């Protein structure tokens, strides 16, 4: 029998891609091979249809290939495909910088004062973290950074220092700088006092230029901190002259039901890192800092920027981002994320999963997690990974999160409907019953 298109693609990857990139188990329907995607739907190379409950790592917030975003990208490609990052700019770079400033510091008021933001454009989420780390170092003259257990800030050699999970650092730990320390990420209100004392103890020692935090941990297992956590960080940062960096690469642009997740606690950070949903599908990210701080931290360019890259502020990415932000606003997708997220969590809680002792359900907006534990209360990644594969067979794309993959992470496009959520919950319920019976 001739090989299927899917098999041809996977064989090609087996032969020519580095072995540690795509997970290619034998005798499995994992992975599916993408051909086309629109809205919530994805078609594979064999013509099968899938519902994407990941928004492809949170990128497709307005749905896959939102027509206005595609149109903007296409038009820009036909006009100007590449400009000169930090040297000769193009108009959209300034326009998007202003839009990001308006959406962040322009909307936030701290101590009754409104300011604005200044932006550094980058190519991927991890690079925006690295720019924030550099900014903190420049602004405070201090080298160390405090982060949290379970943190994921990306895998570049700078960001990796702050990513907590040892799996990613592995052998490279020998080469990496060691400027980060971690404190336990709190998941309950009664953990806050301990977090306060651990942070205070570290900050008193001095040398910390920044606290770096995900307002909701994504890859760490959709971990939602208790109310008051970010305000505590703000208070401690203010007391010790330390900068508060929020990593909103995943949570930004409505994912948690607010434009930015730090807004749930009404906390204004010093620096915010953005990526993923910014463009809906083009590798463009950004770090936005409060304007006066950025002016203090960075000298005016004398012709050779201290941080830049070839593709900085790519015109196609900027055009797509402006279109994507316009859709998020016009279609009120941020508010929709809040409503649909509540519906999602309520549906899960009212399903048979809701009263299982080994299942923990949590989330904020359309960032929902289901954690599985066995009888000894240990992470049950066997069950979660089984469900992941079963869901794929039933036409649902979902991802594992948590340090052992024991959490099913659900971050669908913000356009997901109630009926799509209900159907998903029904299928999951059935698969779960089947899995625990076997
Ligand atoms: C919170 C957070 N920060 C940073 C990153 C890194 O982004 P990228 O993979 O675009 O480098 C990710 C990626 O998942 C993330 O979830």
């Amino acid at each position: 029998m001739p090989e299927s298109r899917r098999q041809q693609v996977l064989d090609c990857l087996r032969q020519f891609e580095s072995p540690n990139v795509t997970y290619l188990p034998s005798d499995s329907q994992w992975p599916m091979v993408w051909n086309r995607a629109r809205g919530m739907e994805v078609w594979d190379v064999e013509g099968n249809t899938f519902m994407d409950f990941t928004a492809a790592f949170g990128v497709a917030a307005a749905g896959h290939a939102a027509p206005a975003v595609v149109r903007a990208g296409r038009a820009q490609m036909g006009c100007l495909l590449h400009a000169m990052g930090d040297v000769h700019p193009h108009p959209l770079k300034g326009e998007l910088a202003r839009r990001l400033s308006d959406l962040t510091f322009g909307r936030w008021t701290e101590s009754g004062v409104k300011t604005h933001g200044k932006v550094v454009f980058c190519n991927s989420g991890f690079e925006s973290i690295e720019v924030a780390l550099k900014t903190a170092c420049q602004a405070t003259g201090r080298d160390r950074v405090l982060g949290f257990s379970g943190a994921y800030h990306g895998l570049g050699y700078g960001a990796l220092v702050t990513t907590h999970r040892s799996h990613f650092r592995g052998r490279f730990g020998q080469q990496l700088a060691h400027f980060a320390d971690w404190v336990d990420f709190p998941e309950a209100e009664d953990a806050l006092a301990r977090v306060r004392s651990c942070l205070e103890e570290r900050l008193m020692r001095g040398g910390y230029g920044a606290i770096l935090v995900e307002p909701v941990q994504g890859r760490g297992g959709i971990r939602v901190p208790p109310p008051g956590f970010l305000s505590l960080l703000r208070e401690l940062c203010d007391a010790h002259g330390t900068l508060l960096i929020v990593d909103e690469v995943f949570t930004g642009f409505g994912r948690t039901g607010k434009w930015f997740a730090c807004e749930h606690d009404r906390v204004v950070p010093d620096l915010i890192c953005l990526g993923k949903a910014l463009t809906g599908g083009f590798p463009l990210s950004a770090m936005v800092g409060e304007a006066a701080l950025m002016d203090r931290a960075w000298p005016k360019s004398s012709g050779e920027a201290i941080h830049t890259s070839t593709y900085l502020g790519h015109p196609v990415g900027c055009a797509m981002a402006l279109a994507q932000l316009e859709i998020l606003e016009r279609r009120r997708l941020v508010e929709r994320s809040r409503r649909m997220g509540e519906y999602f969590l309520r549906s899960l809680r009212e399903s048979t999963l809701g009263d299982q002792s080994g299942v923990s359900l949590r989330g904020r907006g359309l960032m929902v997690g289901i954690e599985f534990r066995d009888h000894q209360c240990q992470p049950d990644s066997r069950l979660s990974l089984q469900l992941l594969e079963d869901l794929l067979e039933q036409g649902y794309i979902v991802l594992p999160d948590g340090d052992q993959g024991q959490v099913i992470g659900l971050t669908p496009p913000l356009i997901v409907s109630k009926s799509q959520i209900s159907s998903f919950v029904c299928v999951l319920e059935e698969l779960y019953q089947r899995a625990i019976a076997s």
Side-chain angles (χ1 to χ4, degrees):
M1 215 169 58
E3 257 197 338
S4 69
R5 181 75 188 114
R6 172 177 177 271
Q7 267 320 324
Q8 286 171 5
V9 173
L10 301 187
D11 286 348
C12 186
L13 290 172
R14 254 184 214 107
Q15 203 174 348
F16 297 111
E17 188 184 46
S18 168
N20 191 249
V21 181
T22 309
Y23 174 50
L24 297 167
S26 45
D27 293 336
S28 169
Q29 289 311 302
W30 190 284
M32 49 79 73
V33 177
W34 292 57
N35 181 38
R36 196 160 63 84
R38 189 78 183 248
M40 281 290 294
E41 283 181 289
V42 180
W43 290 267
D44 73 0
V45 286
E46 327 266 59
N48 302 308
T49 315
F50 297 81
M51 278 285 157
D52 180 11
F53 270 69
T54 69
F57 307 128
V59 169
H64 286 284
V69 174
V70 175
R71 267 198 308 277
R74 275 199 184 129
Q76 186 56 46
M77 276 190 183
C79 170
L80 175 73
L81 188 54
H82 177 62
M84 290 177 71
D86 58 309
V87 181
H88 299 297
H90 59 91
L92 296 184
K93 191 168 72 141
E95 204 178 312
L96 182 58
R98 178 168 48 207
R99 186 83 178 87
L100 290 177
S101 162
D102 289 349
L103 264 182
T104 56
F105 294 91
R107 284 173 54 250
W108 300 332
T109 312
E110 197 177 21
S111 322
V113 181
K114 259 197 170 165
T115 67
H116 71 284
K118 289 202 172 183
V119 178
V120 180
F121 287 112
C122 323
N123 303 299
S124 68
F126 86 76
E127 193 193 342
S128 72
I129 301 294
E130 296 184 348
V131 176
L133 296 174
K134 286 182 176 180
T135 304
C137 192
Q138 287 271 116
T140 65
R142 304 181 197 159
D143 297 332
R144 300 201 69 75
V145 174
L146 268 171
F148 293 90
S149 59
Y152 186 88
H153 300 294
L155 305 182
Y157 255 38
L160 185 53
V161 173
T162 63
T163 285
H164 182 245
R165 215 164 112 193
S166 57
H167 169 81
F168 296 114
R169 255 172 293 126
R171 176 71 184 75
F172 319 123
Q174 312 290 326
Q175 289 184 325
L176 292 175
H178 295 275
F179 54 75
D181 294 298
W182 295 277
V183 166
D184 283 344
F185 187 82
E187 287 186 90
E189 208 141 352
D190 58 10
L192 283 186
R194 213 182 117 62
V195 169
R196 173 189 281 279
S197 74
C198 288
L199 287 171
E200 262 176 346
E201 193 229 332
R202 305 270 179 159
L203 291 168
M204 298 286 268
R205 282 192 226 154
Y208 289 97
I211 293 182
L212 170 62
V213 66
E214 292 158 87
V216 175
Q217 284 194 345
R219 295 208 59 193
I222 317 287
R223 301 208 291 167
V224 185
F229 173 54
L230 284 189
S231 338
L232 169 65
L233 301 187
R234 182 69 275 174
E235 177 200 325
L236 293 175
C237 281
D238 288 343
H240 292 269
T242 301
L243 300 190
L244 179 60
I245 308 173
V246 289
D247 176 354
E248 298 238 19
V249 168
F250 206 157
T251 51
F253 304 111
R255 172 58 51 200
T256 69
K258 298 263 188 199
W259 269 101
F260 302 101
C262 60
E263 295 171 14
H264 288 284
D265 278 9
R266 293 198 165 80
V267 161
V268 177
D270 297 296
L271 306 172
I272 182 167
C273 302
L274 303 167
K276 291 189 188 281
L278 170 60
T279 63
F282 192 92
L284 180 93
S285 61
M287 198 287 298
V288 192
E290 193 276 321
L293 166 67
M294 291 296 281
D295 288 342
R296 238 184 15 256
W298 295 100
K300 272 200 181 121
S301 174
S302 57
E304 186 74 273
I306 299 172
H307 183 94
T308 184
S309 64
T310 303
Y311 292 109
L312 181 146
H314 195 283
V316 177
C318 287
M320 288 171 62
L322 287 164
Q324 169 92 341
L325 297 176
E326 203 269 325
I327 299 179
L328 292 177
E329 193 160 44
R330 184 169 38 81
R331 296 190 59 187
R332 298 178 183 278
L333 293 181
V334 178
E335 167 56 19
R336 186 187 172 89
S337 168
R338 187 188 62 72
R339 276 185 290 113
M340 289 300 150
E342 282 170 10
Y343 178 75
F344 206 160
L345 213 47
R346 196 166 60 244
S347 305
L348 285 166
R349 287 191 173 130
E350 286 167 3
S351 76
T352 40
L353 284 127
D355 54 17
Q356 303 289 318
S357 58
V359 179
S360 145
L361 303 166
R362 52 187 182 246
R364 186 165 271 174
L366 281 170
M367 194 163 182
V368 174
I370 310 175
E371 178 161 21
F372 297 95
R373 293 197 170 261
D374 63 18
H375 296 306
Q376 272 89 46
C377 212
Q378 294 304 307
D380 194 347
S381 46
R382 195 197 53 79
L383 178 55
S384 64
L385 298 178
Q386 172 73 56
L387 287 172
L388 239 58
E389 281 199 30
D390 293 348
L391 280 164
L392 191 67
E393 250 174 64
Q394 296 297 316
Y396 287 101
I397 303 174
V398 296
L399 282 171
D401 283 312
D403 55 355
Q404 298 179 42
Q406 76 277 19
V407 179
I408 292 184
L410 302 162
T411 59
L414 311 185
I415 57 168
V416 68
S417 69
K418 276 190 174 175
S419 70
Q420 286 163 339
I421 291 173
S422 300
S423 305
F424 173 84
V425 173
C426 279
V427 171
L428 178 64
E429 238 180 336
E430 217 176 289
L431 293 175
Y432 174 77
Q433 301 285 13
R434 207 199 305 160
I436 55 170
S438 65

